Amino acid sequence: MKLTKPNLSWLTDVGVFAENRLPAHSDHRYYETLEEAEAIAPMALRHDLNGSWKFNYSGKPADRPELFHQLDYECGSWSNIEVPGHIQLQGYGKPQYVNTMYPWDGHHDIRPPAIPEHDNPVGSYVKYFTLPDHMKGRPVYISFQGVESAFYLWLNGEFIGYSEDSFTPAEFDLTPFLQEGENKLAVEVYQRSTGSWLEDQDFWRFSGIFRDVYLYTVPSIHVRDLFVHADLDAAYENGSLRADIKLADRQEAAVYLELKDAAGHTVGTARSEVSTIEAISLSMDAGQVTPWSAEKPYLYVLYVSVYDQAGKLVEVISQRVGFRKFEMINKIMHLNGKRIVFKGVNRHEFNSRRGRAITKEDMLWDIATLKRNNLNAVRTSHYPNQSLWYELCDIYGIYVIDEMNLETHGSWQKMGAVEPSWNIPANKPEWQDIVMDRAISMVERDKNHPSILIWSVGNEAYAGEVLLNVSNYFREKDPSRLVHYEGVFHNRKYNDTSDMESRMYAKPLDIEAYLNDNPQKPYISCEYMHAMGNSVGGMHKYTELEQKYAMYQGGFIWDYIDQVIVKKDRYGKEFLAFGGDFGDRATDYNFCTNGIVYADRKVSPKMQEVKFLYQNIKLVPDRQGVKVTNENLFEGTEAYDLLVVLHKEGKEIFRGKRNIDVPAQSEAYVTLELPSVDEPGEYVVHASLNLKESTLWAEAGHEVSFGQYVFLVDDPASSAQPEGSFRVVDGDVNIGVHGRDFSIMFSKQAGSLISLNYAGREMIAIPPAPLFWRATTDNDKGFSLGFDSGAWYAASLTRKCIGVELTEQAGSVTVTFQYKLSISADVLVTVAYTVYADGSLNVKSRYEGATGLPKLPIFALSFKVPADYFHLDWYAMGPEENYIDRAFGARLGVFKNDAADNVSGYVVPQESGNRTGVRRVNITNNDGHGIRITAPAVQPVECNISPFTAFELENAYHHYELPNVHYTVVTVAGRQMGVGGDDSWGAPVHDEYLIKADQDLAFEFNIHRL
């Protein structure tokens, strides 16, 4: 160990990022007995230091207790803090969310590697411990799995070392400075350091010891590093294995390798004789093996046994091994000989209460959620994750792009404009070592995980020699994987940095343009479908490219989970807080809310579309059978039951289950014997593949694939009008239609239907009005819908009734209202209410468009019923919310919810809860009374039934700002524009999902009593 005096200048010295830190090494487990190794048990040679530590917070370095590490410095009066955990989530300082700009932008005029001298919070940690008996007399090391962003370490008053890089382990040798009895460990953590310039990721800015801390010792002969190379032959059938082993020091030893399959059978061995070694490589043929893939993540276990010169077993390593070959063949990425398509997502480590200090339970929930929803890949945006995550990806089967801890976004892109005048690391040689250190730390730790197919050279750091050198290091160190980097899109001089063409938020047409222009590399979208708020519309335009272009190899949605933090409002009630809610400035506000999973780890409605479009096995049913297209690379359909259910207008009339055998990469038509149907009505065939047996990630019966077919049996007879009598009163102000137990009133003065009274129950709380505005989504705001189409907001509130017409027919009466709108004298809207003898209404709404007007967000009729009527029973596309550009994953069926459920958990209130294809929805109170809205199957409507109006949602920035519930707001639309999702800062909804204002539009629906 080099004895060095610590110096605060290291925080701004690009050449100092590690002092006395041990070299990075593999994350293998090791034991002293074979029994422990076979059980892959918790490591007895580790001692956990997690838990309560003494803590002092200082706002700047000058205020820190500089001598706190000394043995005689009394820390007993200090507060306590939990490790792992962030300082800012435990009552000190404040969290800050920024995306691309550096967190000090506008506060301090600095350039790298300088840091804000008087704005650099310091956390002083102290942990007292007594060495466990089994560690006494042995070497003892300490491992910090993650500390943000730089720290100094002392033991018993002696300086131990220093480290930067928040997201890879930092380990030190404590042995020379341990003492009998109680030991004092002191850690001084700085929020800002040179490393902060390299950690400008789109996330909350925290600091502290946020991952595990533990002591560990090693046997007398110890494998410090293990690199397992598990490969397949050219036929992808037989496996070969090589283990590169490095001992902690040069010693006499023998090494024995034994490879076992999942059943515990030995499939290969290799050994070395006793000799003086420090490094050794052993190889074996494994014979015919079961390859690893996400579809079948078959793992072997390699046991590395180390014996001393007397033949005594000293150490045993158990290392899971997956045989797979990932390679580029003819400019296309292949896994085990098959073209791969990534159906992926970017994932930040996040927990709404713990920040990035996530738990094992969080990870288990995440990995199961990915698998249940047909995601097969994760990009670790934008830093190496906890080791356990890669282990779970190995076991459950998820492909990984492992991304090093690097982003310098604010140094080259300002408010969207590429301006790299002071970009780092660029071609600056002084930054090479600090950047390369991050690459080495990631590769050395993670190299034995078969789930990792690609190393990534960080994120959004522009381009240059420094990053090119990193990519070449990856290739030299590990030729079994490919290298990814998106930033060369902005500077093609360094195109060789990436083995694939990777872009962010490229539009489908741009992707096709690349693929049609003699591409030299396969294409992936490392980020696409910006899932901010109500989003993920138009995703099908990307997934449709999978089978159209061989060199299109998928993408990674941005992103997995909303990064928002639980906070209390002024009344003590918890809410989900985003940037700015902590008084943090600068901030990027709610740009951290882009998850397909909510921050409380509940699946958002967006996942319905993701699951459908990412399914590997496509089902296309018709009246005679189901076309099954198996796009798996390796696995057939043996693990699933094919379930076929026939419904008539939402009611099940047939159910059948059968086995099918459709091999991977093939297609078959499965004939079915469905009952003949002659009775008029609408029918739907639902076909699904369901797990026969439970897996690690889902119970038996879980649906992995779905398809539907809707058809009509026409009724040649015209439907008869309801019979009965009613009377019409054409008053001076009101028109009344009164039947045996109903009363319906229209106001000439108010210009609308004002009363719908069934058996004394009034259903109209606020009269219907034409609606042309929706509460803007995050994507709407991003492409300035309010600026472009805001006149429709006013038009919805400022209509003028210019005509009321009463028409009486045999068995019915029609009241028609005509409206002019402030937006244009040429626009005319009519709403016609036809009342029948049973008190039911037919409502027809028509819009006559005009040129020169902005696009319509929605064309609808909206009214309020009393809030007691909030139970909803749907026959529509569902069960989750859906929109015209996000309805592929929806299915026609019957489902129930309440009005409040349709206010989705998007962190900023916005349009949500819509259903397309509505044939029927019942709106009832607790007694089952209320109204039924219906529309013909050939021209269904869209409905949004919520406790809040579009304007109430529009004007709320947080959910706690919404008013108390007084009504149920019923909005019936002929059409609502899509939600989009190509990005959230300018990409419009695709043309076919917009509503042009110069066309004529019409829809109709019926209201019945319940």
Side-chain angles (χ1 to χ4, degrees):
M1 178 184 292
K2 182 174 62 175
L3 295 178
T4 311
K5 185 176 180 180
N7 196 313
L8 283 188
S9 67
W10 296 349
L11 294 169
T12 55
D13 188 339
V14 71
V16 181
F17 47 85
E19 285 291 322
N20 294 332
R21 195 180 71 197
L22 298 175
H25 58 82
S26 55
D27 61 358
H28 62 273
R29 291 187 177 92
Y30 58 91
Y31 306 90
E32 293 185 295
T33 69
L34 182 60
E35 291 74 23
E36 289 176 295
E38 289 177 334
I40 313 184
M43 287 176 52
L45 298 180
R46 285 184 183 174
H47 178 67
D48 189 2
L49 292 183
N50 292 346
S52 182
W53 291 47
K54 303 305 290 184
F55 182 74
N56 181 83
Y57 178 81
S58 307
K60 59 181 184 291
D63 295 341
R64 78 195 193 283
E66 189 173 351
L67 303 179
F68 82 107
H69 58 274
Q70 294 183 353
L71 276 173
D72 59 355
Y73 192 100
E74 177 54 49
C75 304
S77 62
W78 283 10
S79 301
N80 294 313
I81 197 168
E82 285 299 305
V83 171
H86 298 295
I87 291 171
Q88 290 76 13
L89 297 184
Q90 299 190 65
Y92 306 94
K94 60 187 175 187
Q96 180 185 12
Y97 168 68
V98 289
N99 174 15
T100 65
M101 59 182 153
Y102 283 98
W104 47 78
D105 187 79
H107 290 284
H108 306 283
D109 187 12
I110 56 174
R111 289 289 182 260
I115 58 174
E117 209 172 302
H118 302 294
D119 181 15
N120 188 9
V122 185
S124 303
Y125 293 77
V126 171
K127 181 73 170 180
Y128 295 97
F129 69 90
T130 300
L131 200 64
D133 289 342
H134 70 277
M135 289 189 172
K136 292 177 179 177
R138 305 175 101 172
V140 175
Y141 308 92
I142 190 167
S143 180
F144 293 87
Q145 292 291 296
V147 181
E148 188 172 6
S149 72
F151 70 99
Y152 300 78
L153 175 67
W154 294 265
L155 179 66
N156 297 322
E158 300 292 338
F159 178 66
I160 302 297
Y162 170 82
S163 182
E164 298 176 20
D165 186 354
S166 302
F167 295 97
T168 52
E171 299 185 347
F172 302 89
D173 185 358
L174 300 183
T175 311
F177 305 109
L178 288 165
Q179 61 185 25
E180 284 293 324
E182 187 176 75
N183 290 268
K184 180 181 181 179
L185 188 72
V187 186
E188 192 170 75
V189 179
Y190 289 78
Q191 185 166 3
R192 320 274 194 217
S193 67
T194 314
S196 301
W197 289 101
L198 303 177
E199 296 178 6
D200 191 32
Q201 290 94 331
D202 176 8
F203 61 12
W204 288 91
R205 309 309 166 101
F206 298 126
S207 64
I209 306 172
F210 69 98
R211 287 183 182 168
D212 291 341
V213 184
Y214 54 85
L215 304 175
Y216 67 94
T217 188
V218 298
S220 56
I221 306 174
H222 173 57
V223 174
R224 181 178 62 81
D225 187 69
L226 173 68
F227 194 174
V228 178
H229 307 266
D231 200 3
L232 295 172
D233 64 7
Y236 311 104
E237 293 178 353
N238 296 310
S240 61
L241 183 144
R242 186 181 89 239
D244 297 336
I245 296 164
K246 294 180 182 176
L247 301 184
D249 48 37
R250 189 173 179 82
Q251 289 182 271
E252 283 197 36
V255 180
Y256 175 66
L257 304 185
E258 183 177 19
L259 183 69
K260 292 188 175 183
D261 63 17
H265 301 131
T266 299
V267 296
T269 62
R271 69 174 66 244
S272 75
E273 300 301 324
V274 174
S275 61
T276 303
I277 56 173
E278 186 170 357
I280 189 172
S281 291
L282 294 175
S283 300
M284 71 173 74
D285 290 326
Q288 188 168 357
V289 295
T290 301
W292 184 95
S293 70
E295 296 169 20
K296 187 175 182 178
Y298 191 95
L299 292 170
Y300 296 77
V301 179
L302 176 67
Y303 295 96
V304 182
S305 299
V306 181
Y307 297 85
D308 64 16
Q309 59 182 342
K312 179 186 174 184
L313 180 65
V314 177
E315 182 178 64
V316 186
I317 292 168
S318 54
Q319 177 66 51
R320 292 187 178 95
V321 173
F323 287 91
R324 55 120 182 98
K325 184 186 285 288
F326 187 62
E327 58 192 333
M328 194 80 78
I329 302 175
N330 296 327
K331 300 189 291 187
I332 296 172
M333 292 179 281
H334 285 69
L335 178 70
N336 304 338
K338 303 292 184 182
R339 167 185 171 258
I340 192 172
V341 175
F342 294 108
K343 302 181 178 189
V345 69
N346 287 271
R347 175 180 172 273
H348 272 291
E349 294 181 312
F350 206 79
N351 176 297
S352 61
R353 296 181 184 275
R354 298 177 55 83
R356 288 187 288 276
I358 65 171
T359 65
K360 178 180 180 179
E361 290 69 30
D362 292 333
M363 287 184 265
L364 288 169
W365 192 92
D366 290 350
I367 199 87
T369 298
L370 296 179
K371 294 293 288 187
R372 283 196 293 263
N373 290 285
N374 295 326
L375 291 106
N376 71 2
V378 161
R379 176 176 174 233
T380 65
S381 51
H382 304 288
Y383 42 82
N385 289 183
Q386 292 186 39
S387 276
L388 176 59
W389 179 247
Y390 303 96
E391 189 174 341
L392 294 176
C393 291
D394 296 340
I395 294 168
Y396 283 72
I398 291 290
Y399 304 125
V400 177
I401 294 181
D402 198 9
E403 193 149 84
M404 65 183 277
N405 177 25
L406 174 71
E407 180 168 342
T408 65
H409 206 151
S411 77
W412 64 273
Q413 193 169 40
K414 290 87 174 179
M415 295 175 61
V418 176
E419 196 284 290
S421 61
W422 57 275
N423 170 236
I424 53 171
N427 298 327
K428 298 176 174 64
E430 65 271 23
W431 288 86
Q432 184 67 73
D433 290 347
I434 190 172
V435 171
M436 188 67 79
D437 176 68
R438 292 163 181 251
I440 293 169
S441 293
M442 176 180 73
V443 169
E444 293 294 356
R445 187 195 68 169
D446 297 343
K447 56 185 178 274
N448 291 322
H449 292 283
S451 57
I452 299 171
L453 302 185
I454 297 171
W455 300 119
S456 180
V457 188
N459 184 64
E460 293 177 319
Y462 197 59
E465 291 291 339
V466 171
L467 300 185
L468 178 60
N469 292 339
V470 169
S471 71
N472 287 331
Y473 157 75
F474 287 147
R475 296 184 185 103
E476 181 180 346
K477 175 69 179 180
D478 182 16
S480 72
R481 295 177 170 103
L482 297 177
V483 178
H484 164 270
Y485 185 61
E486 175 270 343
V488 295
F489 173 77
H490 301 286
N491 189 338
R492 292 299 185 180
K493 180 180 178 182
Y494 301 97
N495 215 37
D496 290 345
T497 307
S498 184
D499 293 328
M500 61 219 62
E501 177 73 8
S502 175
R503 298 187 188 178
M504 295 181 179
Y505 309 107
K507 311 302 184 289
L509 289 176
D510 296 329
I511 296 171
E512 290 201 77
Y514 169 81
L515 294 168
N516 286 320
D517 188 26
N518 189 28
Q520 297 305 302
K521 298 178 182 179
Y523 178 93
I524 63 169
S525 289
C526 66
E527 294 178 20
Y528 83 116
M529 274 291 103
H530 197 263
M532 185 176 181
N534 193 347
S535 187
V536 193
M539 179 178 166
H540 69 97
K541 289 181 172 288
Y542 297 88
T543 57
E544 286 165 1
L545 301 177
E546 293 170 4
Q547 301 306 315
K548 188 175 180 181
Y549 299 95
M551 291 180 70
Y552 178 82
Q553 299 201 254
F556 296 77
I557 293 167
W558 186 268
D559 59 355
Y560 174 69
I561 190 168
D562 286 340
Q563 295 183 74
V564 289
I565 300 169
V566 174
K567 187 176 187 284
K568 290 185 178 179
D569 65 18
R570 64 180 302 177
Y571 303 106
K573 187 177 180 180
E574 289 186 342
F575 73 100
L576 294 173
F578 47 81
D581 284 339
F582 294 90
D584 47 314
R585 302 292 188 278
T587 186
D588 281 299
Y589 299 97
N590 66 314
F591 208 72
C592 51
T593 62
N594 314 311
I596 52 176
V597 165
Y598 293 139
D600 57 2
R601 279 187 163 74
K602 294 177 182 174
V603 172
S604 88
K606 294 171 282 193
M607 190 70 90
Q608 178 174 263
E609 191 81 347
V610 173
K611 179 181 179 181
F612 180 84
L613 293 175
Y614 271 177
Q615 59 191 12
N616 277 352
I617 306 175
K618 311 293 197 294
L619 303 178
V620 182
D622 57 32
R623 294 181 69 171
Q624 285 74 46
V626 183
K627 184 174 80 170
V628 182
T629 304
N630 185 354
E631 295 174 2
N632 278 335
L633 305 187
F634 311 106
E635 295 301 301
T637 56
E638 300 83 1
Y640 313 112
D641 289 318
L642 175 64
L643 178 65
V644 177
V645 183
L646 178 63
H647 300 267
K648 179 179 184 291
E649 292 170 359
K651 293 183 180 179
E652 183 180 317
I653 59 175
F654 170 81
R655 176 179 291 256
K657 184 167 69 173
R658 60 178 295 179
N659 293 319
I660 59 172
D661 183 10
V662 183
Q665 301 282 287
S666 73
E667 182 178 293
Y669 185 83
V670 180
T671 57
L672 300 171
E673 294 185 6
L674 295 175
S676 59
V677 289
D678 302 315
E679 186 179 341
E682 183 179 44
Y683 296 82
V684 59
V685 179
H686 285 173
S688 62
L689 288 178
N690 304 276
L691 287 174
K692 290 179 179 177
E693 299 177 357
S694 296
T695 67
L696 278 173
W697 45 270
E699 297 295 322
H702 171 78
E703 180 185 289
V704 297
S705 293
F706 173 81
Q708 69 177 5
Y709 175 70
V710 181
F711 63 95
L712 286 168
V713 176
D714 291 331
D715 186 356
S718 58
S719 56
Q721 274 194 176
E723 295 183 355
S725 61
F726 58 85
R727 60 188 177 87
V728 179
V729 179
D730 186 2
D732 294 332
V733 178
N734 300 301
I735 299 170
V737 183
H738 307 283
R740 188 171 184 179
D741 60 352
F742 71 87
S743 176
I744 299 173
M745 297 279 286
F746 302 90
S747 170
K748 302 173 186 178
Q749 181 172 274
S752 187
L753 167 71
I754 60 168
S755 176
L756 189 60
N757 193 300
Y758 293 126
R761 288 183 290 272
E762 178 57 62
M763 296 307 302
I764 300 295
I766 301 293
L771 180 69
F772 310 97
W773 189 254
R774 72 178 185 193
T776 48
T777 66
D778 290 313
N779 289 344
D780 292 342
K781 294 168 186 173
F783 75 89
S784 303
L785 181 70
F787 181 87
D788 295 334
S789 297
W792 289 113
Y793 182 109
S796 299
L797 298 172
T798 57
R799 68 198 171 277
K800 181 179 182 181
C801 182
I802 61 169
V804 182
E805 182 181 354
L806 171 65
T807 307
E808 297 189 53
Q809 307 88 216
S812 66
V813 60
T814 300
V815 180
T816 303
F817 297 94
Q818 290 188 319
Y819 304 97
K820 283 290 188 180
L821 306 178
S822 59
I823 194 170
S824 169
D826 296 328
V827 171
L828 180 66
V829 176
T830 60
V831 181
Y833 300 89
T834 300
V835 183
Y836 296 100
D838 62 349
S840 62
L841 279 79
N842 172 261
V843 184
K844 289 186 173 73
S845 185
R846 180 173 177 80
Y847 165 91
E848 296 177 20
T851 59
L853 297 178
K855 53 190 170 285
L856 281 159
I858 191 172
F859 173 45
L861 197 68
S862 188
F863 60 98
K864 297 180 182 179
V865 301
D868 288 346
Y869 298 87
F870 63 89
H871 297 304
L872 309 176
D873 185 337
W874 302 82
Y875 173 44
M877 297 293 284
E880 301 298 334
E881 70 177 26
N882 49 89
Y883 295 81
I884 56 174
D885 63 347
R886 202 182 84 206
F888 285 83
R891 64 193 66 189
L892 180 60
V894 173
F895 53 94
K896 298 180 180 181
N897 68 356
D898 290 340
D901 299 329
N902 296 323
V903 182
S904 300
Y906 308 129
V907 181
V908 173
Q910 57 195 276
E911 160 61 37
S912 64
N914 189 69
R915 300 303 191 283
T916 64
V918 179
R919 279 76 163 162
R920 173 189 57 77
V921 58
N922 297 346
I923 307 168
T924 59
N925 62 12
N926 288 334
D927 297 326
H929 297 297
I931 58 174
R932 170 179 293 168
I933 292 173
T934 64
V938 293
Q939 193 181 359
V941 293
E942 300 185 38
C943 283
N944 190 332
I945 303 173
S946 162
F948 307 111
T949 68
F951 309 102
E952 289 167 336
L953 292 164
E954 182 76 54
N955 292 318
Y957 195 43
H958 300 84
H959 282 265
Y960 63 71
E961 298 174 41
L962 290 167
N964 292 330
V965 175
H966 300 288
Y967 306 103
T968 295
V969 181
V970 180
T971 301
V972 183
R975 187 172 174 88
Q976 181 180 170
M977 67 182 282
V979 293
D982 287 356
D983 65 43
S984 301
W985 51 89
V989 170
H990 288 275
D991 283 349
E992 61 266 44
Y993 300 123
L994 295 172
I995 309 172
K996 295 180 179 178
D998 59 358
Q999 62 184 322
D1000 293 346
L1001 302 166
F1003 66 95
E1004 66 176 284
F1005 62 97
N1006 305 296
I1007 301 176
H1008 309 267
R1009 74 172 85 190
L1010 288 172

mmCIF file of all heavy atoms in Angstrom, residues 662-677:
data_model
loop_
_atom_site.group_PDB
_atom_site.id
_atom_site.type_symbol
_atom_site.label_atom_id
_atom_site.label_comp_id
_atom_site.label_asym_id
_atom_site.label_seq_id
_atom_site.Cartn_x
_atom_site.Cartn_y
_atom_site.Cartn_z
ATOM 1 N N VAL A 662 -45.483 -25.507 -32.975
ATOM 2 C CA VAL A 662 -44.993 -24.627 -34.038
ATOM 3 C C VAL A 662 -43.543 -24.302 -33.700
ATOM 4 O O VAL A 662 -43.272 -23.544 -32.774
ATOM 5 C CB VAL A 662 -45.830 -23.342 -34.142
ATOM 6 C CG1 VAL A 662 -45.330 -22.483 -35.302
ATOM 7 C CG2 VAL A 662 -47.309 -23.661 -34.303
ATOM 8 N N PRO A 663 -42.585 -24.878 -34.424
ATOM 9 C CA PRO A 663 -41.168 -24.647 -34.111
ATOM 10 C C PRO A 663 -40.783 -23.184 -34.263
ATOM 11 O O PRO A 663 -41.467 -22.388 -34.930
ATOM 12 C CB PRO A 663 -40.436 -25.520 -35.136
ATOM 13 C CG PRO A 663 -41.441 -26.522 -35.595
ATOM 14 C CD PRO A 663 -42.765 -25.820 -35.541
ATOM 15 N N ALA A 664 -39.666 -22.835 -33.640
ATOM 16 C CA ALA A 664 -39.130 -21.473 -33.771
ATOM 17 C C ALA A 664 -38.896 -21.146 -35.235
ATOM 18 O O ALA A 664 -38.552 -22.006 -36.046
ATOM 19 C CB ALA A 664 -37.828 -21.356 -32.985
ATOM 20 N N GLN A 665 -39.096 -19.865 -35.551
ATOM 21 C CA GLN A 665 -38.845 -19.364 -36.901
ATOM 22 C C GLN A 665 -39.713 -20.058 -37.949
ATOM 23 O O GLN A 665 -39.302 -20.302 -39.070
ATOM 24 C CB GLN A 665 -37.360 -19.522 -37.270
ATOM 25 C CG GLN A 665 -36.397 -18.798 -36.338
ATOM 26 C CD GLN A 665 -36.326 -17.310 -36.604
ATOM 27 O OE1 GLN A 665 -35.743 -16.879 -37.594
ATOM 28 N NE2 GLN A 665 -36.911 -16.529 -35.724
ATOM 29 N N SER A 666 -40.958 -20.393 -37.559
ATOM 30 C CA SER A 666 -41.873 -21.016 -38.515
ATOM 31 C C SER A 666 -43.286 -20.498 -38.291
ATOM 32 O O SER A 666 -43.567 -19.797 -37.315
ATOM 33 C CB SER A 666 -41.843 -22.545 -38.396
ATOM 34 O OG SER A 666 -42.493 -22.981 -37.208
ATOM 35 N N GLU A 667 -44.141 -20.877 -39.200
ATOM 36 C CA GLU A 667 -45.521 -20.419 -39.170
ATOM 37 C C GLU A 667 -46.432 -21.606 -39.440
ATOM 38 O O GLU A 667 -46.103 -22.500 -40.218
ATOM 39 C CB GLU A 667 -45.717 -19.332 -40.233
ATOM 40 C CG GLU A 667 -47.095 -18.721 -40.295
ATOM 41 C CD GLU A 667 -47.152 -17.615 -41.349
ATOM 42 O OE1 GLU A 667 -46.489 -16.574 -41.140
ATOM 43 O OE2 GLU A 667 -47.830 -17.803 -42.378
ATOM 44 N N ALA A 668 -47.585 -21.632 -38.788
ATOM 45 C CA ALA A 668 -48.545 -22.710 -39.011
ATOM 46 C C ALA A 668 -49.953 -22.162 -38.851
ATOM 47 O O ALA A 668 -50.172 -21.168 -38.132
ATOM 48 C CB ALA A 668 -48.306 -23.856 -38.031
ATOM 49 N N TYR A 669 -50.864 -22.821 -39.528
ATOM 50 C CA TYR A 669 -52.282 -22.484 -39.365
ATOM 51 C C TYR A 669 -52.940 -23.616 -38.600
ATOM 52 O O TYR A 669 -52.929 -24.771 -39.022
ATOM 53 C CB TYR A 669 -52.962 -22.274 -40.712
ATOM 54 C CG TYR A 669 -54.394 -21.797 -40.594
ATOM 55 C CD1 TYR A 669 -54.679 -20.455 -40.402
ATOM 56 C CD2 TYR A 669 -55.463 -22.697 -40.634
ATOM 57 C CE1 TYR A 669 -55.984 -19.998 -40.266
ATOM 58 C CE2 TYR A 669 -56.771 -22.255 -40.503
ATOM 59 C CZ TYR A 669 -57.028 -20.913 -40.323
ATOM 60 O OH TYR A 669 -58.318 -20.474 -40.176
ATOM 61 N N VAL A 670 -53.505 -23.276 -37.449
ATOM 62 C CA VAL A 670 -54.142 -24.266 -36.582
ATOM 63 C C VAL A 670 -55.646 -24.171 -36.800
ATOM 64 O O VAL A 670 -56.267 -23.153 -36.478
ATOM 65 C CB VAL A 670 -53.795 -24.014 -35.099
ATOM 66 C CG1 VAL A 670 -54.460 -25.062 -34.218
ATOM 67 C CG2 VAL A 670 -52.286 -24.005 -34.903
ATOM 68 N N THR A 671 -56.225 -25.216 -37.372
ATOM 69 C CA THR A 671 -57.670 -25.201 -37.619
ATOM 70 C C THR A 671 -58.421 -25.456 -36.318
ATOM 71 O O THR A 671 -57.967 -26.199 -35.444
ATOM 72 C CB THR A 671 -58.070 -26.248 -38.661
ATOM 73 O OG1 THR A 671 -57.637 -27.535 -38.218
ATOM 74 C CG2 THR A 671 -57.454 -25.927 -40.008
ATOM 75 N N LEU A 672 -59.575 -24.831 -36.204
ATOM 76 C CA LEU A 672 -60.393 -24.948 -35.006
ATOM 77 C C LEU A 672 -61.818 -25.302 -35.402
ATOM 78 O O LEU A 672 -62.272 -24.974 -36.508
ATOM 79 C CB LEU A 672 -60.410 -23.618 -34.237
ATOM 80 C CG LEU A 672 -59.066 -23.082 -33.743
ATOM 81 C CD1 LEU A 672 -59.241 -21.668 -33.206
ATOM 82 C CD2 LEU A 672 -58.484 -23.980 -32.661
ATOM 83 N N GLU A 673 -62.484 -25.965 -34.520
ATOM 84 C CA GLU A 673 -63.897 -26.267 -34.731
ATOM 85 C C GLU A 673 -64.717 -25.402 -33.790
ATOM 86 O O GLU A 673 -65.123 -25.814 -32.709
ATOM 87 C CB GLU A 673 -64.176 -27.750 -34.492
ATOM 88 C CG GLU A 673 -63.510 -28.662 -35.516
ATOM 89 C CD GLU A 673 -63.891 -30.120 -35.321
ATOM 90 O OE1 GLU A 673 -64.770 -30.392 -34.462
ATOM 91 O OE2 GLU A 673 -63.309 -30.974 -36.010
ATOM 92 N N LEU A 674 -64.932 -24.169 -34.226
ATOM 93 C CA LEU A 674 -65.753 -23.259 -33.443
ATOM 94 C C LEU A 674 -67.222 -23.534 -33.725
ATOM 95 O O LEU A 674 -67.582 -23.968 -34.829
ATOM 96 C CB LEU A 674 -65.427 -21.808 -33.811
ATOM 97 C CG LEU A 674 -64.011 -21.318 -33.483
ATOM 98 C CD1 LEU A 674 -63.813 -19.909 -34.019
ATOM 99 C CD2 LEU A 674 -63.754 -21.355 -31.997
ATOM 100 N N PRO A 675 -68.080 -23.324 -32.768
ATOM 101 C CA PRO A 675 -69.509 -23.532 -33.028
ATOM 102 C C PRO A 675 -70.002 -22.565 -34.101
ATOM 103 O O PRO A 675 -69.535 -21.430 -34.195
ATOM 104 C CB PRO A 675 -70.157 -23.250 -31.663
ATOM 105 C CG PRO A 675 -69.166 -22.427 -30.923
ATOM 106 C CD PRO A 675 -67.822 -22.860 -31.390
ATOM 107 N N SER A 676 -70.913 -23.053 -34.930
ATOM 108 C CA SER A 676 -71.489 -22.172 -35.942
ATOM 109 C C SER A 676 -72.365 -21.132 -35.261
ATOM 110 O O SER A 676 -73.021 -21.414 -34.244
ATOM 111 C CB SER A 676 -72.313 -22.977 -36.949
ATOM 112 O OG SER A 676 -73.353 -23.666 -36.286
ATOM 113 N N VAL A 677 -72.347 -19.947 -35.804
ATOM 114 C CA VAL A 677 -73.122 -18.860 -35.208
ATOM 115 C C VAL A 677 -74.024 -18.263 -36.274
ATOM 116 O O VAL A 677 -73.567 -17.864 -37.347
ATOM 117 C CB VAL A 677 -72.205 -17.783 -34.601
ATOM 118 C CG1 VAL A 677 -71.518 -18.302 -33.356
ATOM 119 C CG2 VAL A 677 -71.150 -17.319 -35.586
#
